[in-house]
Amino acid sequence: MADIMQTYQALCDHVREAAMVESIRAVLGWDEQTYMPPQAGDYRAEQITWLAAASHRRRTDPQVGEWLAACEDSELVEDPHGDSATVIRELKRDYQKRSKLPQSLVEEMARATVLGQQAWVQARKDDDFASFSPVLTQIIDLKRQQAEAVGYEESPYDALLDDYEPGETTANVHRVLSSLREDLVPLVAAIAESSTQPQVEILSRSYPVALQKELGEQVSAQIGFDFQRGRLDVTHHPFCSGMGPFDCRITTRYDEHFFPMAFFGILHESGHGIYDQGLRTDLYGLPPGEFISLGIHESQSRMWENQVGRGRAFWQYMFPTLQETFASALTDVTLDQFYFALNEVRPSLIRVEADEVTYNLHIIIRFELEQALIQGDLQVPDLPAAWREKYREFLGIEPPSDADGVLQDIHWGAGLIGYFPTYSLGNLYSAQFFAQATEDLGDLEDMFSRGEFMPLKNWLQEKIHQPGKCYRASELVERITGQPLSHEPLLAYLRAKLEPLYGIG
Ligand code: ZN
């Protein structure tokens, strides 16, 4: 017993050092996106590459395999959801996955994705898919090799999805997203045909940036983001980055003439930040102190952004302050007009600008296409045509150019394949958790209308943040809601909100 405890301790110390290296890398990455001077870029890339290699070496050290082998049948794994069993299970998974990838493939992938991102930037600028096609073909080929090296049960896409949503399967995601698509397509069409439409011009009046910033920080703190353990800064591409147990950085961008961008961006990133800050600090760097999956992370940001922030109760509380802050923009606007404008649903070309309904259709299109690419059912040169066909079919629109179509996202050029579905999984988890929170806590809307957000934040912390990786996402959903992941709570939430607004249903 004493021996095994020493071995376990050595394993934990070793891995925590890898996590420390990764947190240093995160500080440098955050600095790169925020305050780094332009000429520092090349050396920063060297620093980051060096740190990435150092943490990878540490995590694939054969000693880790030996320690894990010594621990895996011991009393440490007796309670499968306990801390020590979680440490051993998740580290073993990570160690095996990393060890299966040949060094040559890792290096080729790193090179191809650097080139892929550069080629993507140029191709998008020139609206020239043909110049991007060969690089993407190579990336898809490497991703297929990766899937073969790592192994999978049913579909090679399973192996890629697993990097972002551990334990999730293509078949299950397909089941849920197909059901969602079948119900969303007619809902979007009915909304588009409705004669009742919001006055969205309200949102592009003048909202001075300094006031937006002040308000954003105030709301972020009010829903529970802790500014003693975090910061909010400005970047072109907003993100949330945890860089230690007491340091979480979120970012946003402001547009004086489009209020929702920064406001909902801040709510979104605060949701990610509140999850990060809700993890157990004493287990920082070990799986029970880490987030479960990208889908669960996204469920936390989406909940504060959409279920809370785009809800009527929230604005009942918030609108008087807003009207006072932005008097010249909002004197002639009512709460109902403002609330409707915030919830406009309109099929559009660009994913990152999409509303909370059509957003899922953008994701489903990408999920279906990347799956077909990995399975070999679709060839890269045929991708733009397939893209246009799906946009016609699901959203009733067609991109006039590839720049606003298949070239709009960085993901594929960066080798992020299997990543897109986590966005919609986030929306689905979020609705399912929120329905349960309402059942457990009573009238959340009533609380929000009085500016009370702590009951929900504390519920999320207890049920979702504190367990870390002790459960898989699918287990956590069942444990909290008593049901497997389903598209129904999201659909019910969207219908309940949108049908009265648009006078349909
Ligand atoms: Zn997010």
Side-chain angles (χ1 to χ4, degrees):
M1 181 67 196
D3 276 358
I4 198 72
M5 285 316 291
Q6 275 172 359
T7 303
Y8 178 70
Q9 199 52 51
L11 171 69
C12 291
D13 291 346
H14 183 91
V15 169
R16 283 184 126 147
E17 249 176 67
M20 189 171 69
V21 173
E22 285 147 18
S23 70
I24 297 168
R25 185 184 160 194
V27 179
L28 293 181
W30 169 85
D31 176 71
E32 184 181 14
Q33 304 281 320
T34 49
Y35 299 114
M36 187 186 78
Q39 292 209 356
D42 289 348
Y43 192 65
R44 178 57 47 87
E46 274 183 52
Q47 293 173 313
I48 287 179
T49 307
W50 190 88
L51 289 168
S55 71
H56 181 78
R57 257 198 318 276
R58 218 170 166 78
R59 288 190 183 274
T60 52
D61 186 337
Q63 178 78 70
V64 171
E66 286 164 30
W67 283 326
L68 284 168
C71 292
E72 68 183 344
D73 293 319
S74 70
E75 60 267 50
L76 289 164
V77 301
E78 250 163 42
D79 170 9
H81 301 297
D83 289 342
S84 56
T86 299
V87 166
I88 292 161
R89 176 184 68 242
E90 295 300 322
L91 290 181
K92 186 178 167 197
R93 175 195 135 79
D94 179 70
Y95 178 77
Q96 286 185 334
K97 230 180 151 170
R98 288 173 188 263
S99 308
K100 280 180 187 164
L101 285 178
Q103 190 56 33
S104 58
L105 182 59
V106 174
E107 284 166 19
E108 259 186 278
M109 188 80 80
R111 220 179 356 259
T113 52
V114 169
L115 292 175
Q117 291 174 73
Q118 291 167 0
W120 169 76
V121 170
Q122 197 58 41
R124 188 181 187 201
K125 211 165 122 205
D126 302 342
D127 187 24
D128 177 15
F129 184 81
S131 70
F132 180 53
S133 183
V135 196
L136 183 58
T137 302
Q138 199 209 348
I139 290 172
I140 298 293
D141 183 51
L142 291 170
K143 282 283 158 182
R144 293 173 67 169
Q145 289 179 39
Q146 178 187 332
E148 294 306 324
V150 172
Y152 52 85
E153 271 179 31
E154 264 184 47
S155 153
Y157 190 85
D158 285 342
L160 306 179
L161 178 64
D162 190 78
D163 278 349
Y164 312 107
E165 205 59 27
E168 190 52 273
T169 65
T170 311
N172 190 46
V173 174
H174 178 79
R175 170 186 67 83
V176 187
L177 292 188
S178 304
S179 311
L180 184 64
R181 186 192 73 202
E182 274 167 39
D183 289 323
L184 285 188
V185 170
L187 178 65
V188 170
I191 287 173
E193 280 161 25
S194 167
S195 56
T196 315
Q197 296 292 334
Q199 265 178 272
V200 288
E201 155 278 327
I202 293 167
L203 305 174
S204 44
R205 294 177 181 176
S206 170
Y207 297 87
V209 167
L211 297 176
Q212 286 193 48
K213 185 169 182 289
E214 200 177 307
L215 181 76
E217 283 183 358
Q218 186 193 316
V219 171
S220 174
Q222 211 169 348
I223 64 169
F225 183 75
D226 181 356
F227 280 88
Q228 296 301 310
R229 298 168 57 197
R231 281 183 61 91
L232 170 63
D233 292 273
V234 177
T235 48
H236 191 64
H237 298 288
F239 62 87
C240 166
S241 177
M243 43 183 71
F246 302 100
D247 192 351
C248 174
R249 310 293 175 97
I250 57 175
T251 68
T252 194
R253 54 183 169 159
Y254 296 94
D255 179 345
E256 184 189 338
H257 292 285
F258 193 56
F259 173 77
M261 190 169 75
F263 190 84
F264 290 104
I266 290 171
L267 282 181
H268 182 99
E269 299 308 332
S270 298
H272 281 304
I274 291 166
Y275 184 10
D276 196 76
Q277 292 180 336
L279 295 166
R280 287 153 71 189
T281 52
D282 56 327
L283 289 165
Y284 183 82
L286 293 175
E290 290 170 344
F291 70 91
I292 298 187
S293 71
L294 288 186
I296 296 290
H297 225 309
E298 193 68 4
S299 76
Q300 302 304 289
S301 56
R302 292 293 181 172
M303 191 179 295
W304 291 107
E305 177 191 355
N306 292 331
Q307 267 86 5
V308 181
R310 286 184 208 271
R312 198 174 183 288
F314 180 86
W315 288 102
Q316 241 173 291
Y317 167 68
M318 205 60 195
F319 192 65
T321 308
L322 203 74
Q323 235 176 353
E324 213 172 282
T325 311
F326 303 107
S328 67
L330 295 173
T331 36
D332 63 337
V333 177
T334 66
L335 164 62
D336 284 324
Q337 286 171 322
F338 190 76
Y339 167 63
F340 193 9
L342 291 178
N343 284 289
E344 187 201 29
V345 174
R346 181 184 295 275
S348 62
L349 294 171
I350 307 295
R351 173 184 62 88
V352 297
E353 294 168 6
D355 57 77
E356 63 176 317
V357 182
T358 59
Y359 191 90
N360 297 295
L361 295 172
H362 289 269
I363 294 304
I364 292 166
I365 289 170
R366 288 153 176 78
F367 169 62
E368 292 184 1
L369 292 174
E370 64 182 17
Q371 229 189 114
L373 288 169
I374 292 298
Q375 280 163 3
D377 300 334
L378 174 68
Q379 302 308 312
V380 171
D382 302 325
L383 187 55
W387 180 282
R388 284 193 290 273
E389 197 188 309
K390 287 214 184 280
Y391 267 78
R392 262 197 312 273
E393 190 187 342
F394 298 167
L395 286 155
I397 53 175
E398 192 179 315
S401 69
D402 288 336
D404 285 335
V406 69
L407 287 171
Q408 67 182 267
D409 300 303
I410 193 174
H411 299 60
W412 290 338
L416 299 174
I417 293 169
Y419 190 111
F420 278 124
T422 67
Y423 294 117
S424 274
L425 287 173
N427 291 336
L428 293 159
Y429 290 136
S430 168
Q432 197 159 335
F433 289 144
F434 192 77
Q436 188 63 43
T438 304
E439 227 170 86
D440 290 359
L441 298 172
D443 196 344
L444 284 174
E445 301 298 315
D446 187 52
M447 296 176 203
F448 299 161
S449 71
R450 285 181 274 117
E452 289 171 19
F453 303 109
M454 285 311 101
L456 177 62
K457 187 219 149 191
N458 293 336
W459 186 91
L460 294 170
Q461 183 163 2
E462 180 202 328
K463 303 273 180 182
I464 298 168
H465 310 167
Q466 294 276 303
K469 271 196 168 86
C470 292
Y471 298 88
R472 283 281 151 78
S474 58
E475 293 170 336
L476 190 78
V477 171
E478 285 223 44
R479 188 177 144 82
I480 295 175
T481 71
Q483 303 286 332
L485 180 64
S486 155
H487 76 293
E488 277 163 18
L490 178 61
L491 194 74
Y493 152 76
L494 292 172
R495 284 205 169 124
K497 168 153 63 170
L498 295 164
E499 287 178 352
L501 278 175
Y502 281 94
I504 55 170

